[in-house]
Amino acid sequence: SEVVFNSGNSDYITSTFDSSNNKVVIAYRDQGNSAQGTAIVGTVSGAGISFGSEVVYNTGQSPFNGSTFDSNSNKVVIVYRDDGNSSRGTAIVGTVSGTNISFGSEVVFDQLRSDGNVATFDSNSNKVVVAYQDPNNTDAAQAIVGTVSGTDITFGNKTVFQSNLTSQNAVVFDSNANKVVVS
């Protein structure tokens, strides 16, 4: 049966699976709460799912959410556009405990703007790869690599992988070839 995890209007929804805790983490923009970036932990049992309490990870409007699970550090990484901070591309590391999630500090990965944020975890190099559309660079598709340490994440330099107009990006890690594929 369907289970409501947020009674308000929810958009820019993303989800990932925390395999160390066997929990689902959903992140979204909560239009019923000033469009803040919000996350919630779900527990699957049989054909049902139950949820803990909602946790705000960004008090500004937070569209273009993406997420992945870093199985090296056992952390969830959420990426988003922080409209409360000049629409900068931002990431945050979450730690699941029981049915709750707590967060470290926000980290900016693009000082200008990021749209269409998506993320995957490269388990071969233990890195998070973020792909996004850069409106300040002719809407080119960019990728950037992040390293999680504790509840923090640091980033390298962004790289253009498609210089033409892009939208609705996708990214995945191929564990057979140990390569990241972005589109």
Side-chain angles (χ1 to χ4, degrees):
S1 301
E2 294 174 296
V3 177
V4 174
F5 61 84
N6 177 44
S7 57
N9 184 351
S10 310
D11 57 9
Y12 294 106
I13 299 169
T14 181
S15 62
T16 192
F17 178 65
D18 179 336
S19 57
S20 70
N21 292 288
N22 289 325
K23 302 292 183 182
V24 174
V25 176
I26 301 173
Y28 50 98
R29 184 173 71 171
D30 186 356
Q31 295 282 25
N33 187 25
S34 303
Q36 295 179 116
T38 306
I40 196 165
V41 175
T43 306
V44 175
S45 178
I49 186 169
S50 58
F51 292 97
S53 300
E54 295 174 292
V55 177
V56 172
Y57 58 84
N58 179 46
T59 57
Q61 288 202 30
S62 308
F64 299 111
N65 296 296
S67 61
T68 192
F69 176 67
D70 181 330
S71 58
N72 179 60
S73 63
N74 289 328
K75 301 292 184 183
V76 171
V77 178
I78 300 172
V79 293
Y80 51 97
R81 193 183 80 189
D82 185 356
D83 286 359
N85 187 26
S86 303
S87 299
R88 292 181 168 99
T90 306
I92 198 164
V93 175
T95 305
V96 173
S97 177
T99 59
N100 297 313
I101 186 167
S102 58
F103 292 97
S105 300
E106 294 175 294
V107 176
V108 172
F109 63 82
D110 194 303
Q111 292 289 340
L112 297 176
R113 180 175 167 173
S114 70
D115 292 352
N117 303 298
V118 289
T120 193
F121 179 65
D122 180 335
S123 57
N124 180 57
S125 60
N126 291 327
K127 303 291 183 183
V128 171
V129 178
V130 180
Y132 60 99
Q133 176 187 355
D134 187 351
N136 293 288
N137 186 19
T138 66
D139 287 314
Q142 306 264 16
I144 194 165
V145 175
T147 305
V148 174
S149 178
T151 58
D152 194 24
I153 185 168
T154 55
F155 288 94
N157 297 318
K158 60 184 180 180
T159 301
V160 173
F161 65 87
Q162 169 56 263
S163 58
N164 297 322
L165 171 65
T166 60
S167 63
Q168 298 179 340
N169 300 309
V171 61
V172 68
F173 177 65
D174 181 336
S175 59
N176 181 57
N178 286 327
K179 304 291 182 184
V180 171
V181 180
V182 287
S183 63

